[in-house]
Amino acid sequence: MSKKALLVVAQNGYQPIEYANTRAELEKAGISVSVASPNGGTATASDGSSIETDLSIKDADIDNFDALVIIGGPGARESLSALPELGELIKSAYEKGKIIAAICISPTILAEAGILKGKKATVWSAPGNEFGIEILKQHGAEYTAKSVEVDGNVITANGPAAATDFGKKIAELLA
């Protein structure tokens, strides 16, 4: 039976390269991909393009998936970090030993869900904007500055340039 990954995107402002490249690598590896957003339906990327999602985050059952992947982008921090149902999904996936992955600013959401304590992780940052690094450290993660970091069943990546390698690493851990 093929493995299944749930990609989570912001309703508005997800990063389209991170979404497209990660999804392409998973599908290339034969992994079935479903996409969830806060409300389901149409999700709009930061460049104005859009996709139809398969379900809302509240309707996602982690038992139906082998991996939970959170895509970044400017909307990720604003809309996803405030969702208690996403926090619960992350914790449930972690407790069940699923692969959990986050790219760009989204590793901060994993940190706030409490699953990065004592783990190596990376996150998007820029000179003068180290907000993500601060959040990771506040929640006990060890920031590594790598483009893709793997610690156990948790994979983090720092942005669009890392999306292809991020997708390959998720596929590798699911194999």
Side-chain angles (χ1 to χ4, degrees):
M1 216 162 78
S2 87
K3 299 283 184 165
K4 295 179 182 173
L6 178 63
L7 269 59
V8 173
V9 297
Q11 205 71 46
N12 291 294
Y14 70 86
Q15 214 299 330
I17 295 167
E18 294 169 359
Y19 167 77
N21 292 8
T22 301
R23 182 175 186 144
E25 290 303 321
L26 294 174
E27 289 177 338
K28 208 185 294 180
I31 296 161
S32 171
V33 175
S34 295
V35 183
S37 63
N39 306 318
T42 304
T44 305
S46 57
D47 67 357
S49 63
S50 64
I51 58 168
E52 287 303 314
T53 64
D54 301 299
L55 67 162
S56 68
I57 293 168
K58 71 179 180 328
D59 292 332
D61 180 350
I62 200 61
D63 290 334
N64 296 331
F65 300 96
D66 302 293
L68 174 63
V69 181
I70 305 171
I71 301 298
R77 184 76 205 149
E78 294 164 21
S79 68
L80 298 178
S81 63
L83 289 177
E85 56 267 33
L86 181 56
E88 291 306 312
L89 202 61
I90 293 166
K91 289 175 191 161
S92 178
Y94 188 73
E95 288 164 5
K96 294 174 181 188
K98 308 277 184 176
I99 302 297
I100 303 170
I103 187 169
C104 192
I105 198 65
S106 294
T108 61
I109 299 167
L110 300 184
E112 290 169 336
I115 70 160
L116 294 184
K117 188 175 178 80
K119 291 202 174 288
K120 292 179 179 171
T122 193
V123 68
W124 177 85
S125 66
N129 186 346
E130 296 186 344
F131 169 78
I133 298 170
E134 292 166 21
I135 297 277
L136 262 57
K137 289 180 177 176
Q138 283 170 11
H139 291 274
E142 181 188 330
Y143 173 69
T144 66
K146 289 182 179 176
S147 60
V148 179
E149 180 64 70
V150 179
D151 191 333
N153 62 328
V154 178
I155 305 165
T156 52
N158 67 2
T164 298
D165 288 341
F166 176 68
K168 285 179 180 173
K169 192 51 78 173
I170 297 165
E172 184 182 306
L173 263 63
L174 283 173

